[in-house]
Amino acid sequence: MLNKRVEEAINAQINAEMWSAYLYLSMSAWCHANGNPGFGKWFEVQFQEEQDHAKILFNYIISRAGAVELKAIDEVPTQWNNLLDVLESTLAHEQKVTSLINNLYAIAQEEKDYATSSMLQWFIDEQVEEEENAQNIIDNLKMIKDNGYGLYMLDKELGTRTYTQASPLAGK
Ligand SMILES: [Fe+2]
Ligand SMILES: [Fe+2]
C-alpha cells in the first residue's frame, strides 16, 4: 500500500512529465515550422521519452496498489525567438524537473518509503543526462553562431536520433 503523501506527489509528477511531453511536442512543431526538421525530430523523441517517464510512475503506482489520478495538462508555450532560445528553455525546464524529482525523493525519505526512493533513483540519474544533452546542444549552437553550414550539419545530426524505450519499466 502506498503512503498517501507519496502517492499524491507521484501523481503530481506524472502530470509534470506529461506537461514536459507536451512542451517538447510544441518545440518540435516550432522547429519544423522554422526550417529545422532535424531539431524537430530530436524533440519528437524527447516527447516520446517524457511519456515513458509518466508511464514508469503510472506503472509504479499500480504496482503498489495505489490510485492513479490524471490531472489536466496546462497549456504550453508555442513561440520562441530562435533555436538557442528553444534549447535554453529546454535546459531551464530540465533543471526545474530535477528539483521536482529531488523534492519527490525527499518526501519518500521523510515517509520512510524506501521502495519509492529506490524507484526514483532512475529518475535522478536520468535528469543528469537530460541536463547534459540540452547543455551540449547549447554549446554547439554557440560555437556555430550564424554559420549556415554548421547549422545545417547540426540539424542533420540531431535528425538521426531514434526513439528507444527509456526503461523497461515504462512498458509493463
Ligand atoms: Fe522527464
Ligand atoms: Fe526530461
Side-chain angles (χ1 to χ4, degrees):
M1 195 62 196
L2 197 51
N3 170 291
K4 273 290 150 198
R5 188 170 165 232
V6 171
E7 182 182 275
E8 259 171 45
I10 299 175
N11 273 311
Q13 191 62 33
I14 290 177
N15 188 265
E17 299 294 344
M18 292 304 290
W19 193 86
S20 299
Y22 212 36
L23 173 69
Y24 293 140
L25 191 59
S26 183
M27 286 175 168
S28 175
W30 187 94
C31 292
H32 278 289
N34 286 274
N36 296 104
F39 279 79
K41 177 74 200 310
W42 192 88
F43 277 108
E44 196 187 302
V45 173
Q46 202 65 8
F47 161 68
Q48 290 170 293
E49 284 197 355
E50 296 304 335
Q51 291 176 83
D52 279 351
H53 298 171
K55 192 72 194 312
I56 292 168
L57 297 166
F58 173 97
N59 288 340
Y60 178 75
I61 292 179
I62 291 171
S63 300
R64 297 288 307 277
V68 170
E69 249 183 71
L70 300 178
K71 308 255 163 61
I73 301 165
D74 286 343
E75 224 175 294
V76 290
T78 57
Q79 294 301 323
W80 293 271
N81 298 322
N82 47 50
L83 284 172
L84 187 59
D85 186 27
V86 174
L87 270 299
E88 280 175 340
S89 304
T90 299
L91 179 59
H93 177 63
E94 289 301 338
Q95 288 166 341
K96 164 115 185 294
V97 173
T98 299
S99 72
L100 293 177
I101 297 289
N102 288 345
N103 287 339
L104 186 49
Y105 190 86
I107 291 171
Q109 294 286 92
E110 276 168 33
E111 300 297 332
K112 297 190 173 12
D113 185 343
Y114 303 115
T116 297
S117 299
S118 169
M119 180 275 294
L120 288 172
Q121 196 60 54
W122 185 89
F123 283 86
I124 291 168
D125 299 338
E126 171 71 7
Q127 283 312 117
V128 173
E129 204 184 303
E130 293 275 44
E131 289 188 31
E132 187 184 9
N133 289 344
Q135 186 62 60
N136 285 343
I137 303 174
I138 289 170
D139 292 344
N140 286 337
L141 283 170
K142 284 184 173 166
M143 205 180 342
I144 287 166
K145 294 203 179 79
D146 49 10
N147 180 303
Y149 184 68
L151 196 55
Y152 170 77
M153 290 307 289
L154 181 59
D155 190 65
K156 266 206 163 330
E157 187 195 320
L158 294 178
T160 62
R161 185 181 187 191
T162 51
Y163 166 72
T164 44
Q165 196 174 64
S167 154
L169 296 173
K172 281 212 299 177

